[in-house]
Amino acid sequence: MAIERTLSIIKPDATRRNLTGKINAKFEDAGLRIVAQKRIRLTKEQAGKFYAVHAARPFYDELCTFMASEPVVVQVLEGEGAVQKNRQVMGATNPADAAEGTIRAEFAESVGENSVHGSDAPDTAKEEIAFFFSGLELVG
Ligand code: ADP
Ligand code: MG
C-alpha cells in the first residue's frame, strides 16, 4: 500500500482535557508519523469554511461553535494507507459505536465532541492539508 498523508485535528474537548500526548501516542503506536503539527485557535468562520460540506446538516452551527471554543491541534499524519489507518485509530463518529481501544471509544464525550477529526479519503486529505499547512511546513 502507498505512503499517504492525512489531515488530523485534535478537537477542543481533547485539548481542554490535556489529552494531546495520549492521542498522539495512539497515532504513533499505529505506525502513523506526525510530520506536521500546530496548535491554533480557529474562528467560527474558519471552522465553518473547513466543515462547509456539512453546512446543510442540523448540527452544523453547533459543530462550528464547538470547533472555535478552545484551541485545536492540527496535524499531518503520514504512513502506509494513512487515511484509512487513521480512521481505524479514531473509531466511529459516535463513541457509543466506536471499537474498543480507539481514540473515540476512550476519550470522546459525545457524537459531537468526539476528540478527533480525520480526512475520509485521499482527495479530501489533500484539500484539508492545504487548508492548514503550506508546502514549507511539510518536511516529512
Ligand atoms: P467524522 O468526523 O467521523 O468524519 P462526519 O464527517 O459525519 O464524522 O461529521 C463531522 C463531525 O460533525 C463529527 O466528527 C462530529 O463532531 C459532528 N457530528 C456528526 N454527526 C453529529 C450529530 N448527529 N450530532 C452532533 N454532531 C455531529
Ligand atoms: Mg468526516
Side-chain angles (χ1 to χ4, degrees):
M1 194 174 274
I3 299 290
E4 291 175 346
R5 287 176 172 172
T6 191
L7 191 278
S8 166
I9 306 177
I10 301 179
K11 293 184 177 182
D13 66 285
T15 62
R16 175 169 43 77
R17 288 175 291 148
N18 210 23
L19 293 171
T20 299
K22 286 196 170 114
I23 289 173
N24 280 348
K26 294 271 195 195
F27 297 138
E28 293 183 341
D29 288 349
L32 292 164
R33 299 179 69 84
I34 302 163
V35 298
Q37 175 169 258
K38 56 191 173 188
R39 184 176 169 101
I40 60 173
R41 178 81 186 254
L42 291 172
T43 64
K44 190 174 174 185
E45 288 66 32
Q46 289 167 334
K49 204 170 162 206
F50 179 75
Y51 274 123
V53 64
H54 294 306
R57 310 279 286 274
F59 55 81
Y60 179 66
D61 188 68
E62 180 193 335
L63 175 62
C64 297
T65 299
F66 164 61
M67 291 299 288
S69 67
E70 303 263 357
V72 295
V73 175
V74 295
Q75 17 182 228
V76 179
L77 308 180
E78 184 181 86
E80 286 207 0
V83 173
Q84 276 317 305
K85 186 177 278 185
N86 182 40
R87 297 292 307 190
Q88 283 165 13
V89 175
M90 290 164 61
T93 307
N94 187 341
D97 303 327
E100 203 182 321
T102 60
I103 291 168
R104 284 166 165 171
E106 261 180 54
F107 301 124
E109 300 197 299
S110 65
V111 63
E113 306 205 359
N114 58 3
S115 302
V116 279
H117 165 85
S119 307
D120 59 11
D123 57 333
T124 47
K126 209 165 236 175
E127 284 170 25
E128 291 181 358
I129 289 169
F131 185 88
F132 287 110
F133 293 95
S134 76
L136 284 174
E137 293 174 300
L138 297 168
V139 294

